[in-house]
Amino acid sequence: MEYHNGVYCVSARELIDGGIMTQGSYAKAAQRKRIDVVRHGGGQGRYALVSVESLPTECQILINEKYGDKSIRIAAWVQDNYIVDQAAMSFFNNPEKTGIHNLSIDKRREYVVNASILNICIRLHDNITTWQRLMGKKYDWICMSSAIESLKVQLGHTLPSSASRFRKKVNNYRKHGYTALLSAKFGNKNALKNK
């Protein structure tokens, strides 16, 4: 779920994998222009987006049940406020800070994206007024983790999908900073085992 040029959209993959439409019914509806395909998929990670308003009412109801209004609002807010953490980029590109000299470019990018998303989650958690306006009285970790999970394809993060593991990751990140995102397989523990 995301906004594209001001239109609230669902990805074709979410429609099909979520059991809201079959592959065949999606293809037929798109071909006959019964649904508004706002952006077509294909090429370098580009995926099809469909206007939620153009979907049949029963599909819209299923989307609300599956992804929930709160998760949708949170995911949209996270996307609107997503900023690449420049300090994380500096940290993960410096082998002296990470202690890892063979960190691939893909891993560095993954860690920067994860840090950027966690920063947004912490900012939302700390801003009670914004949180209450989006979710009500209580901080809902289940809703937050499902909103972040829905952004996995769009943003390319590798954060946990389970609410308890996601909460643990946020708390660990708060406590230890960027080092909390580094995989143990790059550290000395695994290197010592191999010697």
Side-chain angles (χ1 to χ4, degrees), residues 170-184:
V170 170
N171 290 334
N172 198 18
Y173 177 72
R174 252 188 213 267
K175 194 176 198 178
H176 302 288
Y178 300 132
T179 56
L181 298 175
L182 293 170
S183 172

Side-chain angles (χ1 to χ4, degrees), residues 25-179:
S25 61
Y26 166 77
K28 190 175 280 189
Q31 179 186 18
R32 294 181 178 174
K33 300 197 186 297
R34 290 186 182 153
I35 59 174
D36 183 16
V37 180
V38 177
R39 183 180 77 191
H40 294 279
Q44 301 288 4
R46 192 174 157 105
Y47 48 92
L49 290 174
V50 178
S51 166
V52 173
E53 287 183 5
S54 73
L55 294 168
T57 307
E58 59 272 7
C59 289
Q60 291 183 34
I61 291 168
L62 288 171
I63 287 172
N64 283 336
E65 286 174 2
K66 183 139 184 90
Y67 299 108
D69 287 337
K70 289 180 187 177
S71 292
I72 293 166
R73 288 194 306 258
I74 294 165
W77 188 88
V78 168
Q79 276 196 304
D80 290 344
N81 291 279
Y82 181 82
I83 298 169
V84 175
D85 185 344
Q86 296 300 319
M89 192 175 289
S90 173
F91 178 85
F92 292 114
N93 283 315
N94 186 341
E96 292 175 9
K97 289 183 179 178
T98 62
I100 305 167
H101 293 281
N102 60 344
L103 195 59
S104 71
I105 292 171
D106 288 340
K107 270 293 174 199
R108 285 184 236 163
R109 189 190 80 55
E110 172 190 321
Y111 290 150
V112 169
V113 169
N114 287 351
S116 301
I117 291 173
L118 289 173
N119 291 339
I120 293 170
C121 295
I122 290 169
R123 187 170 42 154
L124 184 57
H125 183 268
D126 292 346
N127 189 343
I128 300 299
T129 307
T130 304
W131 183 257
Q132 287 177 342
R133 196 171 63 236
L134 289 171
M135 294 189 64
K137 300 289 180 199
K138 187 179 174 187
Y139 193 92
D140 187 346
W141 284 101
I142 294 171
C143 192
M144 182 55 135
S145 65
S146 69
I148 297 303
E149 177 66 18
S150 74
L151 297 171
K152 196 165 253 187
V153 172
Q154 292 90 333
L155 298 177
H157 70 80
T158 56
L159 295 167
S161 55
S162 128
S164 60
R165 288 182 58 228
F166 178 74
R167 184 177 187 175
K168 188 176 179 181
K169 180 63 90 176
V170 170
N171 290 334
N172 198 18
Y173 177 72
R174 252 188 213 267
K175 194 176 198 178
H176 302 288
Y178 300 132
T179 56

